């Protein structure tokens, strides 16, 4: 309402201000409906750019999955389906509360709006808490993007690693402490408006740690289930622990062969053949192929020196969980889920802004645009997760 | 558009209400449908559909996406133009992914890191065995 000075119809505008332009209607719009429709077109265009932005990552996913389906299959076993499913449910519920918030703002149910927005924020925080457990668990195991990947099947849980979970939780703990202090200060000073904002926000911040707790419980449950799997099903249906076990056995069996001659290599080969009978052991099959090719190379040529054999091996394609191939999967995983998580954080930011305005009772049936627009953004973030979850977690 | 359509006291009386609140029943029904479809997605992962697996998963995800778009994003009640813009973006996503995938099929091996550039393969004990490297 501050730009009327420039208008030639200053007098008219100022006169009609109280009737024509309610405080929520921007000067350049004739009616609230026009304002709403313009904003809505804008947010839809923004969502289109978001879809195209994410499509780049989905495209990278499609290319590498088409190129290396077995790497995606193998690496997907390291993603905890239970945590992914819980997060999907949490995000779907937050979508429900967000859609409900739009309804509340349209019906001018101010208390309901604050409640549903706070519920949406809480779900977002639970989602991030569960994600923090997933990420820190994988960081600790060395399941990192290509280049940083150092996962070792013979030592999947190295004990000495930085406290990743503490690093991730620290900003949220600070936020919780800050909001709690604000809550106490506003309660003591009797500032009802600030108290009404700080109250739901402290619940929201607490919810991050609810998510962390939930994630911890489910992650530990999954671990013990994995170990039971190994004992109950020694043949293995492509479960990662079985692969680990097979490779451990191989390492143990192969150790003496380092010092020995071709005879030992032959023994090693029979062991490999037995292991390779299980189609799940992609790694073993490929290392067997590598061995055969290497033997063939050494057999046909008269050269028996180590240098030649080494050359033969390095030119052989190795279809296994090498840091590079597995790292590519985790690069894509961290990129897609990480950028999705950044979108959740951005969503939390705008939802907090909405919460403040909802406490101020800014919205009414002529002016609910901001709630609707944030809702559309939030549903898009949910939509992306709807595709991410099966594509990353549910590969069999 | 009457100039008084938006004065604070006569919202419901005027004929220019553009808010279309969605009924709680619809919201809850969509939510439970989405949850049900999520359960189905997780459950189907334990069966082996072979080559159809990706298609099944994508089909269920798309049904969920359509539910979210139609109801939670109010696309049914929205102006058709907005829906055209948004759904149009998926046409371009399809073109983008299809052409890039088709191209990568022809040149796929250049996407692979060359073997000699590989970091030492920690997950590959046989290599250390055979070539005698530490």
């Amino acid at each position: 309402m501050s730009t009327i000075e420039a208008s030639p119809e200053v007098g008219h505008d100022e006169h009609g201000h109280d009737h024509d332009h309610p405080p929520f209607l921007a000067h350049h719009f004739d009616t609230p409906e026009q304002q709403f429709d313009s904003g809505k077109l804008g947010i839809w265009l923004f969502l289109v750019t978001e879809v195209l932005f994410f499509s780049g990552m989905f495209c990278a996913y499609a290319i590498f999955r088409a190129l290396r389906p077995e790497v995606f299959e193998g690496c997907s076993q390291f993603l905890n389906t239970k945590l992914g499913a819980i997060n999907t449910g949490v995000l779907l519920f937050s979508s429900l509360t967000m859609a409900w918030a739009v309804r509340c703002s349209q019906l001018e149910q101010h208390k309901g709006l604050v409640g549903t927005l706070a519920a949406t924020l809480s779900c977002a925080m639970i989602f991030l808490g569960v994600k923090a457990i997933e990420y820190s668990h994988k960081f600790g195991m060395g399941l990192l993007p290509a280049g940083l990947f150092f996962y070792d099947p013979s030592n999947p849980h190295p004990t000495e690693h930085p406290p990743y979970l503490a690093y991730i939780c620290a900003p949220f703990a600070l936020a919780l402490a800050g909001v709690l202090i604000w809550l106490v200060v506003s309660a003591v000073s009797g500032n009802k408006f600030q108290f009404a904002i700080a109250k739901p926000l402290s619940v929201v911040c607490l919810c991050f740690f609810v998510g962390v707790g939930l994630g911890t419980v489910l992650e530990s449950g999954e671990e013990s289930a994995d170990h039971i799997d190994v004992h109950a099903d020694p043949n293995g249906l492509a479960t990662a622990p079985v692969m680990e076990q097979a490779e451990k056995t191989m390492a143990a069996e192969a150790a003496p062969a380092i010092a020995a001659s071709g005879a030992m290599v032959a023994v090693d080969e029979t062991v490999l053949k037995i292991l390779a009978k299980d189609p799940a052991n992609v790694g073993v099959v490929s290392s067997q192929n590598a061995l055969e090719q290497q033997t063939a190379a050494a057999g046909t040529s008269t050269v028996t020196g180590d240098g030649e054999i080494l050359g033969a091996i390095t030119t052989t394609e190795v279809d296994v969980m090498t840091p590079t191939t597995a790292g590519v999967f985790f690069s894509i995983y961290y990129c897609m889920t990480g950028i999705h998580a950044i979108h959740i954080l951005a969503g939390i930011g705008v939802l907090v802004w909405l919460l403040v305005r909802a406490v101020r009772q800014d919205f009414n049936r002529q002016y609910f645009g901001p709630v609707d627009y944030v809702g559309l953004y939030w549903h898009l973030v949910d939509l992306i997760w709807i595709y991410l979850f099966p594509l990353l977690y549910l590969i069999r | 558009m009457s100039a008084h359509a938006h004065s604070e006291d006569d919202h419901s009386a005027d004929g220019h209400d553009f808010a279309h609140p969605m009924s709680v029943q619809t919201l809850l029904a969509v939510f439970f449908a989405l949850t049900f479809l999520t359960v189905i997605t997780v459950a189907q992962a334990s069966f082996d559909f072979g080559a159809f697996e990706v298609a099944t998963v994508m089909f269920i995800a798309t049904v969920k996406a359509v539910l979210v778009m139609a109801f939670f994003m109010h696309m049914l009640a929205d102006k058709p133009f907005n829906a055209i813009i948004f759904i149009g973006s998926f046409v371009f996503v399809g073109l983008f992914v299809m052409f890039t995938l088709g191209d990568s099929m022809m040149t796929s091996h250049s996407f692979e890191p060359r073997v000699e550039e590989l970091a030492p393969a920690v997950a590959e004990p046989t290599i250390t065995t055979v070539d005698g490297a530490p």
Side-chain angles (χ1 to χ4, degrees):
Chain A
M1 296 310 105
S2 54
T3 51
I4 25 170
E5 296 84 47
S7 161
E9 320 156 303
V10 169
H12 168 76
D13 259 359
E14 268 178 354
H15 173 72
H17 224 53
D18 290 336
H19 308 296
D20 276 3
H21 270 183
F24 54 78
L25 184 59
H27 176 73
H28 47 280
F29 291 118
D30 286 337
T31 61
E33 186 173 8
Q34 188 196 24
Q35 173 172 273
F36 173 75
D37 286 341
S38 311
K40 194 132 180 176
L41 178 62
I43 197 75
W44 277 115
L45 287 174
F46 170 66
L47 295 191
V48 166
T49 66
E50 287 283 84
V51 167
L52 296 176
F53 167 55
F54 271 95
S55 77
M57 281 174 284
F58 278 103
C59 191
Y61 173 93
I63 288 175
F64 281 102
R65 186 162 176 189
L67 202 57
R68 291 282 183 187
E70 76 282 355
V71 169
F72 275 69
E73 207 171 290
C75 292
S76 173
Q77 312 302 321
F78 288 101
L79 304 186
N80 191 328
T81 311
K82 243 188 260 170
L83 291 184
I86 287 290
N87 258 355
T88 311
V90 166
L91 221 48
L92 284 179
F93 186 73
S94 81
S95 258
L96 169 71
T97 54
M98 190 67 231
W100 204 319
V102 175
R103 177 190 149 85
C104 285
S105 69
Q106 289 170 335
L107 297 177
E108 298 177 6
Q109 300 168 340
H110 298 294
K111 279 215 172 112
L113 179 58
V114 173
T116 46
L117 287 176
T120 311
L121 275 165
S122 305
C123 286
M125 282 297 195
I126 293 176
F127 180 89
L128 288 179
V130 174
K131 206 96 223 125
I133 289 292
E134 283 191 78
Y135 275 7
S136 58
H137 188 73
K138 283 181 190 61
F139 292 170
M141 284 171 77
L143 297 165
L144 290 164
L148 302 167
F149 189 89
F150 66 89
Y151 175 71
D152 181 2
S154 59
N155 181 22
H157 297 285
T159 41
E160 71 293 336
H161 59 75
Y164 295 114
L165 184 60
Y167 291 165
I168 300 175
C169 287
F172 293 94
L174 276 177
L176 175 62
V179 169
L180 285 178
I181 291 169
W182 184 27
L183 181 75
V184 172
V185 168
S186 60
V188 169
S189 66
N191 190 330
K192 281 205 175 124
F193 176 66
Q194 291 195 5
F195 184 70
I197 299 167
K199 210 166 43 174
L201 274 189
S202 49
V203 176
V204 166
C205 290
L206 264 177
C207 273
F208 177 81
F209 296 95
V210 172
V212 169
L214 190 68
T216 314
V217 170
L218 289 174
E219 185 75 66
S220 57
E222 186 82 352
E223 295 260 296
S224 53
D226 274 357
H227 292 303
I228 292 162
D229 259 1
V230 174
H231 296 302
D233 189 10
N235 288 325
L237 294 164
T239 55
V242 176
M243 274 173 70
E244 285 166 27
Q245 216 184 32
E247 286 183 34
K248 257 189 263 181
T249 331
M250 267 167 49
E253 301 246 5
I258 297 170
S261 58
M264 281 307 279
V265 176
V267 173
D268 206 43
E269 246 177 295
T270 51
V271 173
L272 277 177
K273 268 177 192 156
I274 294 162
L275 284 169
K277 273 177 193 159
D278 183 353
N281 283 335
V282 187
V284 182
V285 176
S286 73
S287 20
Q288 196 200 14
N289 290 341
L291 256 183
E292 275 167 7
Q293 291 191 28
Q294 178 256 321
T295 318
T300 48
S301 68
T302 51
V303 186
T304 50
D306 277 346
E308 277 301 304
I309 294 169
L310 223 159
I313 282 177
T314 46
T315 51
T316 307
E317 285 222 26
V318 192
D319 285 30
V320 280
M321 286 257 317
T322 60
T324 317
T325 49
V328 167
F329 174 83
F330 283 100
S331 295
I332 291 174
Y333 165 77
Y334 284 117
C335 191
M336 294 182 95
T337 58
I339 288 178
H340 181 265
I342 289 173
H343 277 78
I344 299 266
L345 281 173
I348 288 174
V350 279
L351 279 166
V352 168
W353 169 69
L354 279 189
L355 187 75
V356 173
R357 298 194 67 180
V359 172
R360 212 161 60 193
Q361 307 202 343
D362 272 1
F363 304 114
N364 56 58
R365 71 188 57 206
Q366 299 281 339
Y367 181 64
F368 55 87
V371 187
D372 206 1
Y373 309 152
V374 171
L376 286 176
Y377 169 78
W378 193 254
H379 295 312
L380 183 88
V381 173
D382 182 34
L383 217 63
I384 289 162
W385 185 258
I386 283 177
Y387 281 99
L388 277 186
F389 168 60
L391 285 180
L392 288 172
Y393 289 75
L394 296 177
I395 311 172
R396 288 290 177 274
Chain B
M1 296 297 148
S2 142
H4 298 282
H6 37 69
S7 60
E8 291 292 323
D9 38 16
D10 58 18
H11 298 309
S12 40
D14 69 37
H16 299 289
D17 244 4
F18 53 91
H20 305 286
M22 196 144 277
S23 76
V24 174
Q25 286 93 325
T26 316
L27 292 178
L28 287 176
V30 172
F31 170 69
F32 285 118
L34 289 171
T35 316
F36 176 67
L37 286 171
T38 308
V39 172
I40 288 185
T41 320
V42 176
Q44 69 80 35
S46 35
F47 301 104
D48 190 12
F49 288 117
F52 296 109
E53 192 224 284
V54 179
T56 322
V57 155
M58 290 305 280
F59 176 73
I60 298 176
T62 307
V63 171
K64 286 166 78 179
V66 166
L67 279 177
V68 169
M69 287 194 289
F71 295 100
F72 283 175
M73 297 171 99
H74 313 113
M75 218 177 230
L76 286 182
D78 204 354
K79 297 220 166 11
F81 186 60
N82 292 337
I84 290 170
I85 288 177
F86 189 65
I87 292 168
S89 75
F90 291 101
V91 175
F92 290 98
V93 170
L95 283 175
F96 170 46
V97 173
M98 271 184 338
F99 276 104
T100 320
L101 257 185
D103 188 52
S104 82
M105 295 295 179
M106 291 178 240
T107 56
S108 60
H109 283 284
S110 57
F111 284 102
E112 291 263 285
R114 296 189 62 86
V115 179
E116 48 264 39
E117 290 163 13
L118 286 177
V122 285
E124 188 46 77
T126 42
I127 283 186
T128 53
T129 304
V130 177
D131 65 25

